[in-house]
Amino acid sequence: MEPLIQPILETDAVRLRPFAAKDAALIRDASVDALIPSITSVPAHGTEDEILAFIGRQHDRLRLRTGYSFAIADAHSDVAMGQIGLWLRDADRGRVSIGYWVGSRHRRHGIASAALAAISDWGLTLPGVHRVELYVEPANEGSWRVAERCGFLREGLLRGWQEIASRRRDTYMYSRLE
């Protein structure tokens, strides 16, 4: 099968683009964040090799056809500020999921909202996709507020849904329909 082709999605605030080696500083910062490594594949306290391997894995997702991983970059400077991905595990059932994180010094500036709106709008144009989902820990109020600002509706609480930091955690389920 042919690999997926990753578009570049642009808004006035952000550019969603493939990760590049120049984004290593962002990944390094994220690797020492209190939460990001426990809920993503960012290596905790990553070495240079582990950080570059993380970037490589983001490109592998296209080859493996498992999804699209975007660096969230500033629309003007192209400096990476976070990551957002659209995952295709259930695309054959008409639904995809989204996950995102923003580096600690870039939070509370509307970056996650701009990125989530852009990737959700795009995801709902993919053939056969009618539902976009995301999962957020109840304690992560900033993240679920971003989801609600972008038109996602909370559908419920999934008890013990995800293992985070070696503990089963509850997760809110959100969705947005076409």
Side-chain angles (χ1 to χ4, degrees), residues 3 15 21 38-39 49 54 77 110 112 122-123 126 132 136 141 156 161 169 171:
R15 173 181 298 120
S38 68
I39 61 171
D49 286 343
F54 169 85
S77 69
W122 173 72
L126 296 175
V132 179
V136 182
E141 182 177 352
W161 179 255
R169 306 282 181 132
T171 308

Side-chain angles (χ1 to χ4, degrees), residues 80-146:
M81 302 176 290
Q83 185 270 344
I84 192 163
L86 186 127
W87 315 125
L88 303 174
R89 184 180 67 214
D90 293 320
D92 61 334
R93 295 181 177 107
R95 58 184 185 259
V96 295
S97 63
I98 295 175
Y100 52 89
W101 57 264
V102 173
S104 60
R105 64 184 144 165
H106 304 290
R107 294 177 186 149
R108 294 188 167 84
H109 294 103
I111 293 160
S113 294
L116 182 57
I119 201 170
S120 300
D121 290 347
W122 173 72
L124 287 168
T125 70
L126 296 175
V129 173
H130 68 273
R131 177 185 171 90
V132 179
E133 301 174 340
L134 56 89
Y135 309 91
V136 182
E137 277 191 275
N140 191 345
E141 182 177 352
S143 190
W144 54 259
R145 288 202 183 277
V146 165

